[in-house]
Amino acid sequence: MNSRRAEAILSLVIGNELVGVEIGVQRGLLSEEIAKSPRVKKLYGIDPWERQVRISYYRRWTDAQLAGLVKSVQERMRIFGDKWELLKMYS
């Protein structure tokens, strides 16, 4: 998703200071695009980043790979400071 599409989604919500939640962050690509919007005051990213039998995306990852994924998301989102917060939990 590009910034223009993320902005279009945000424009559906009325208001200048938005607080949002992305459930299922995975690599943080959408979180990054949403957080770029000046209208977003705070964005929470929720994902357990744990191996889960019922979710094929995470089933093939080792614990070490998932830890690396979390670290890469934190690095990607670091530029947004307090605007973005990681919640490592189930939704």
Side-chain angles (χ1 to χ4, degrees):
M1 178 172 288
N2 62 32
S3 296
R4 208 176 283 175
R5 179 153 166 81
E7 186 65 31
I9 291 168
L10 292 173
S11 69
L12 297 175
V13 181
I14 298 172
N16 291 328
E17 291 190 345
L18 304 174
V19 175
V21 176
E22 181 184 11
I23 298 173
V25 175
Q26 292 182 352
R27 296 179 188 275
L29 301 175
L30 180 58
S31 287
E32 181 179 24
E33 293 302 319
I34 293 171
K36 287 178 182 176
S37 172
R39 295 178 61 202
V40 174
K41 179 181 177 182
K42 183 77 173 182
L43 179 63
Y44 296 92
I46 298 176
D47 202 306
W49 286 288
E50 292 179 358
R51 292 183 69 207
Q52 299 174 48
V53 174
R54 68 181 194 281
I55 300 175
S56 62
Y57 179 80
Y58 286 142
R59 193 177 329 164
R60 63 181 183 256
W61 291 70
T62 66
D63 291 338
Q65 288 172 318
L66 287 168
L69 183 59
V70 172
K71 186 176 179 179
S72 72
V73 170
Q74 289 171 323
E75 271 298 308
R76 169 178 277 117
M77 300 304 291
R78 181 180 58 154
I79 63 170
F80 299 106
D82 291 339
K83 186 177 185 177
W84 188 81
E85 186 174 335
L86 168 84
L87 301 174
K88 192 172 180 230
M89 59 186 280
Y90 289 94
S91 57

